[in-house]
Amino acid sequence: MNDTSFFKWLVIILFISFGWGCNQKTTLAQANKTFSLATVSSNWNKADSLLALMTISEKLGQLQQLDGGISKNDLPRLIEAGKVGSVLNEVNPDLVFKYQKIAIEESRLGIPLLIGRDVIHGFRTMFPIPLAQSASWNMDIIEEGSRIAAKEASSIGVNWTFAPMIDISRDPRWGRVAESPGEDAFLTSQVGVAMIKGFQGDGKYKNGNLAACAKHFAAYGLTEGGRDYSTAIIGERQLREVYLRPFHAAIENDVMSFMTSFNEVDDIPASGNQFLLRKVLKEEWEYNGMVVSDWESIKEMIAHGYCKDLKEAAYKAMRAGVDMEMVSTAYNDYLETLMAENKINISQIDEAVRRILWMKIRLGLFENPYPVKENAASILSKEHLETAKQAAIESVVLLKNENEVLPLSKTYKSVAVIGPLANAPHEQMGTWAFDGKKVDSQTPLKAIQNIFKNKVKVNYASGLEISRTKNHDGFSAALEAANQSDVVLYFVGEEAILSGEAHCRAHLNLPGAQETLLDELSKTGKKIVLVVMAGRPLILTNLLPKVDAVLYAWHGGTMAGPAIAELLIGNANPSGKLPITFPRAVGQIPMYHSHKNTGRPANESNWVPIDKIPVEAWQTSLGNTSHYLDEGFTPLFPFGYGLSYSSFKYKNLRINKNKMTTSKSILAEVDITNTGKYDGKEIVQLYIQDLFGSVTRPIKELKGFQKIELKAGGTRTVQFEISAKDLNFYNADLEFMTETGDFKLWIGTHAASQDFVEFEVVDNAE
Ligand code: NOJ
């Protein structure tokens, strides 16, 4: 007998013995025994044989995710009745244990629960916010950070994280830019994959791994005007080319689940979007993992104006391919009626249930559903804190360092530590730090005091209570501290709550009176090091001339303090680079490196600054180009920018062939020398431009990078192999392919590096 027919018989026997819709209880022990007896050949088969035992109510139950807080009183009863497939936001291990025990021992089929949580950048040991992690360009440390987060979260029973968030974000007004890996599809894909590998590990929950969730599908980062939940307006080519790419990479790396986004794409909310979910994700990409809605995003399709009521919302979400519903209850309230009306059929529901069961089986939850208690000992362990510190160190970006004010001179006898972020343990954790605790945070002030002990006097005065403080009550103490010190370390930025979901800003200056205090501090004539701790790029244009150095430290997590302190004193050398362009002014947004050339590209010689326009100048557009009269055409800092205490010289950029066939690769190389006096790390970036195509192509695209270490005085040749698949794009007919023609290639220290070589892609036959 082959496997398939064996199974048919098995299912029939089980079906008969348990009965469709019967109330008789079958315990997990019995069910598991049945499965092991069956020696099932695959997880899918396991899911199918279980599916065959389920009543419609149990099937709908699997599609329901409820919030541990909101539904607390009802959960035990609902779980026992098989009406819940997943619980989110329950982090009390005793309650998680209790719920799993009810699911396994008291529900009829003993199906374990998925316990979901936003473990976004750490659990108790908080790592830097994802945007900051992306600034490290260090995939090993990102993977390790996610592994640590998973291990800690598994100890209290969480088995599913709603991460990574891989929405391309080009608008720093959007609060969720903090949670994203930034503006670039290539870098975002790499960061997403590193996180998935870290979270999922071998895929088994008992080994401290979590199912990951690629979110938010799709184009959420394109939210109009940077206002959260707003509309994404985008054509299919750009959608595929840029916004969907990291999601495809996630599938190639076996991500176990997807989450839909709140926004609409091409006038259809993502949670009801057949094109996105059914056509692209499930059919074209053949994704066989599970799709969860975002929080009530099925219900929100009513407010969007896409569904007139919850019933229609259930219909459209199921039709589109959402498998599990987060918090709202459209599926459980209406899918049976929709079946009776022949609008939804059982095979659609079965498909959704099957994906959810498969995820539970893959995680090994049937065998090991309970909190992995032994992992609790690792929470905030020395190893975890050390990795968090390294991650924070590598994520800090040095934006300015005039006259080498950093690292701090060993001759200093006193330093002033000023600013609302210097000793703000809660704020440094950043957004989405649900399980982090401020008592665990090591602040910059504490770390600096610790390092300097009695050797250097630390004069601390926050100056402003929080980042939004407007009054000047603390100014005099701050100025006194500055006057008494050899150098000023001014810690500014944003509190954690000013970025993240629904926390968007129209102005990106320093909130409160932080800039006014800087003005006062600069009058003291002291050297000023500005340390910015924020969840997004802020507009630094007016601040730069007033300070000697800028360390952009983001929200660095539990260990932000020691990380910043080590960088300040030179125990560590800055090596982060911007994962997102820093504009000069909000009015320039969106501004990103891989934009199009336009028919009238601006350059240094053709742009017209506002003050150069003659009075009553004749209105003409002739000779004018694409720029702002008041802010020009360049950003304040380009994508990929970041300094080091060392300096790196790039020489001899070369390629081994200037013709490349579509089936062969070429090698590009450059020699890099550390010409500074410190050992350091450099992120070497490869950019390519396809000069002409059947559709227009960006002026530059990141195609590779390497983070290398170079001893002071050392030289190294860095090599990139480029093949046709790296040059693929969606052509005029929306085919993903490489077109022959001319290309430019840069290997440089950031996206605005100038040295390039040219090559041509030719057909194999040529
Ligand atoms: C809404 C957010 O958009 C999503 O990212 C998150 O995972 C869910 N809430 C659950 O908290």
Side-chain angles (χ1 to χ4, degrees):
M1 194 189 300
N2 66 25
D3 267 352
T4 331
S5 51
F6 173 79
F7 256 98
K8 271 194 195 136
W9 278 110
L10 177 73
V11 166
I12 290 167
I13 293 164
L14 294 173
F15 190 84
I16 294 167
S17 46
F18 299 130
W20 182 265
C22 73
N23 290 323
Q24 177 194 344
K25 286 202 173 169
T26 307
T27 64
L28 174 70
Q30 285 168 297
N32 267 345
K33 207 148 135 220
T34 318
F35 290 130
S36 61
L37 271 178
T39 53
V40 283
S41 57
S42 79
N43 288 337
W44 276 120
N45 287 343
K46 264 192 194 177
D48 277 340
S49 47
L50 185 50
L51 192 61
L53 303 175
M54 296 172 78
T55 64
I56 182 69
S57 148
E58 285 163 340
K59 287 179 183 179
L60 296 183
Q62 286 305 304
L63 310 188
Q64 183 68 59
Q65 181 179 59
L66 291 176
D67 180 80
I70 299 172
S71 309
K72 198 175 218 121
N73 297 335
D74 301 325
L75 274 174
R77 175 180 53 82
L78 293 172
I79 296 170
E80 187 191 342
K83 286 182 181 298
V84 186
S86 170
V87 173
L88 81 158
N89 294 339
E90 184 48 75
V91 286
N92 175 339
D94 297 333
L95 274 184
V96 174
F97 182 87
K98 176 177 157 188
Y99 294 157
Q100 289 289 26
K101 199 161 158 41
I102 297 174
I104 280 148
E105 294 183 4
E106 294 171 35
S107 78
R108 194 180 71 94
L109 290 174
I111 302 173
L113 297 162
L114 289 167
I115 306 291
R117 183 70 165 166
D118 290 288
V119 183
I120 307 295
H121 55 107
F123 187 68
R124 269 292 287 279
T125 306
M126 294 311 304
F127 281 73
I129 54 168
L131 187 61
Q133 291 192 40
S134 187
S136 77
W137 301 55
N138 183 332
M139 299 308 128
D140 293 338
I141 210 152
I142 293 174
E143 183 176 333
E144 185 59 12
S146 303
R147 187 190 66 77
I148 287 172
K151 188 171 181 185
E152 292 191 357
S154 71
S155 72
I156 58 101
V158 170
N159 50 41
W160 181 20
T161 174
F162 303 128
M165 191 271 228
I166 44 178
D167 298 309
I168 304 294
S169 310
R170 294 175 171 177
D171 194 330
R173 291 172 296 182
W174 190 42
R176 300 197 82 166
V177 74
E179 200 190 332
S180 85
E183 75 180 36
D184 183 72
F186 183 83
L187 182 59
T188 298
S189 304
Q190 305 278 317
V191 172
V193 167
M195 288 184 173
I196 290 164
K197 286 186 181 160
F199 286 132
Q200 292 195 171
D202 71 2
K204 294 289 171 221
Y205 170 64
K206 73 168 193 301
N207 297 332
N209 300 303
L210 312 181
C213 182
K215 73 183 189 187
H216 307 84
F217 199 64
Y220 187 26
L222 204 56
T223 189
E224 214 176 30
R227 289 182 303 279
D228 212 352
Y229 315 124
S230 185
T231 303
I233 297 174
I234 186 167
E236 183 175 343
R237 182 174 299 100
Q238 277 291 305
L239 178 72
R240 287 178 179 272
E241 182 86 25
V242 180
Y243 291 85
L244 298 191
R245 259 174 61 192
F247 289 95
H248 193 251
I251 292 181
E252 284 176 330
N253 286 275
D254 223 12
V255 69
M256 288 197 210
S257 66
F258 262 56
M259 186 187 292
T260 62
S261 55
F262 283 127
N263 57 288
E264 54 186 69
V265 178
D266 198 16
D267 305 332
I268 299 184
S271 299
N273 199 308
Q274 294 185 85
F275 168 75
L276 283 175
L277 302 177
R278 185 69 63 195
K279 178 163 180 287
V280 176
L281 180 63
K282 290 188 170 176
E283 287 172 17
E284 201 180 299
W285 293 353
E286 298 178 346
Y287 181 56
N288 49 23
M290 182 260 266
V291 179
V292 66
S293 77
D294 201 342
W295 184 285
E296 296 202 330
S297 66
I298 294 183
K299 183 172 158 193
E300 286 179 10
M301 292 199 290
I302 303 170
H304 273 283
Y306 184 59
C307 304
K308 77 171 185 309
D309 53 25
L310 205 56
K311 182 175 164 194
E312 192 180 356
Y315 166 67
K316 287 186 169 167
M318 180 48 64
R319 182 183 67 173
V322 178
D323 301 314
M324 180 179 275
E325 180 174 9
M326 189 187 285
V327 179
S328 54
T329 56
Y331 279 4
N332 269 267
D333 294 348
Y334 293 105
L335 283 183
E336 265 194 273
T337 319
L338 288 162
M339 269 176 66
E341 292 170 2
N342 287 327
K343 290 204 172 115
I344 291 291
N345 60 50
I346 189 68
S347 60
Q348 286 169 289
I349 293 172
D350 282 354
E351 184 214 310
V353 179
R354 199 168 177 246
R355 288 168 183 265
I356 293 162
L357 294 177
W358 189 50
M359 183 161 147
K360 296 180 177 185
I361 293 164
R362 285 173 83 188
L363 282 166
L365 296 183
F366 283 87
E367 299 80 22
N368 297 286
Y370 297 114
V372 190
K373 282 207 174 120
E374 62 271 24
N375 286 347
S378 75
I379 287 179
L380 296 167
S381 66
K382 221 170 134 212
E383 181 214 334
H384 289 190
L385 292 175
E386 185 53 36
T387 311
K389 185 175 92 180
Q390 274 316 316
I393 286 176
E394 296 223 8
S395 72
V396 173
V397 186
L398 178 65
L399 293 176
K400 176 175 179 178
N401 193 16
E402 218 150 77
N403 306 322
E404 298 188 356
V405 64
L406 288 177
L408 295 174
S409 160
K410 302 238 177 319
T411 63
Y412 289 151
K413 297 273 176 300
S414 56
V415 298
V417 173
I418 293 170
L421 272 298
N423 195 29
H426 173 81
E427 313 309 343
Q428 72 184 46
M429 292 192 292
T431 185
W432 291 110
F434 287 158
D435 301 292
K437 295 206 183 338
K438 70 176 185 180
V439 291
D440 303 328
S441 284
Q442 302 186 26
T443 67
L445 173 68
K446 294 281 153 58
I448 290 165
Q449 286 170 332
N450 210 17
I451 284 187
F452 285 149
K453 295 237 165 66
N454 307 325
K455 290 174 277 172
V456 178
K457 183 148 194 293
V458 178
N459 298 312
Y460 170 63
S462 75
L464 295 157
E465 202 185 332
I466 58 169
S467 73
R468 286 168 291 162
T469 301
K470 292 196 183 74
N471 69 59
H472 296 188
D473 299 353
F475 275 29
S476 57
L479 291 170
E480 199 181 317
N483 280 320
Q484 287 169 0
S485 308
D486 295 331
V487 64
V488 173
L489 309 176
Y490 185 32
F491 290 83
V492 296
E494 291 178 318
E495 297 146 68
I497 196 60
L498 299 188
S499 57
E501 187 180 343
H503 289 80
C504 308
R505 296 185 59 204
H507 301 283
L508 297 181
N509 51 339
L510 290 174
Q514 296 182 88
E515 195 168 339
T516 320
L517 178 53
L518 177 60
D519 290 338
E520 296 303 313
L521 290 170
S522 55
K523 288 183 198 153
T524 64
K526 303 283 175 173
K527 285 201 172 11
I528 300 177
V529 175
L530 193 72
V531 182
V532 188
M533 297 169 78
R536 55 160 65 81
L538 293 173
I539 302 296
L540 305 176
T541 316
N542 293 338
L543 311 180
L544 281 183
K546 299 173 192 163
V547 300
D548 300 276
V550 179
L551 273 181
Y552 214 87
W554 320 96
H555 288 138
T558 308
M559 295 299 281
I564 293 169
E566 294 209 2
L567 288 163
L568 288 170
I569 63 163
N571 269 6
N573 192 347
S575 66
K577 301 239 186 190
L578 298 178
I580 183 164
T581 303
F582 272 42
R584 294 175 193 280
V586 169
Q588 287 181 307
I589 297 169
M591 190 161 230
Y592 51 94
H593 72 285
S594 56
H595 62 87
K596 298 297 186 71
N597 213 23
T598 81
R600 296 184 181 189
N603 61 40
E604 277 307 332
S605 59
N606 68 16
W607 83 280
V608 186
I610 195 160
D611 295 328
K612 294 233 168 114
I613 304 174
V615 180
E616 295 194 359
W618 183 251
Q619 154 104 46
T620 177
S621 57
L622 288 182
N624 288 346
T625 55
S626 178
H627 64 262
Y628 296 98
L629 299 175
D630 43 8
E631 287 296 351
F633 63 99
T634 54
L636 186 63
F637 294 111
F639 174 80
Y641 184 84
L643 303 170
S644 155
Y645 298 153
S646 326
S647 44
F648 298 97
K649 275 250 148 14
Y650 285 60
K651 256 174 66 184
N652 302 329
L653 173 61
R654 56 201 182 267
I655 39 177
N656 65 342
K657 284 178 240 162
N658 49 17
K659 272 194 198 271
M660 169 181 156
T661 61
T662 41
S663 63
K664 293 249 164 63
S665 55
I666 57 169
L667 280 182
E669 290 182 336
V670 73
D671 304 326
I672 302 172
T673 304
N674 179 347
T675 53
K677 44 184 197 288
Y678 301 95
D679 300 347
K681 291 183 184 173
E682 165 71 341
I683 300 164
V684 186
Q685 300 158 45
L686 168 75
Y687 294 90
I688 292 183
Q689 180 187 16
D690 184 344
L691 294 181
F692 309 98
S694 63
V695 295
T696 64
R697 307 288 302 129
I699 62 152
K700 241 174 215 190
E701 285 178 288
L702 181 72
K703 293 291 181 184
F705 61 84
Q706 292 175 37
K707 190 161 189 172
I708 61 161
E709 261 185 277
L710 267 183
K711 294 245 171 268
T715 297
R716 193 165 139 188
T717 299
V718 171
Q719 204 174 62
F720 291 95
E721 188 178 345
I722 300 118
S723 64
K725 74 170 180 0
D726 300 313
L727 310 174
N728 277 350
F729 66 99
Y730 289 89
N731 70 6
D733 299 319
L734 273 178
E735 293 155 350
F736 194 54
M737 50 103 71
T738 308
E739 286 181 352
T740 56
D742 299 328
F743 291 78
K744 271 186 178 177
L745 178 155
W746 297 256
I747 301 179
T749 186
H750 54 67
S753 298
Q754 296 299 319
D755 269 3
F756 66 88
V757 288
E758 288 172 298
F759 65 96
E760 192 186 346
V761 173
V762 294
D763 273 334
N764 285 329
E766 279 182 48

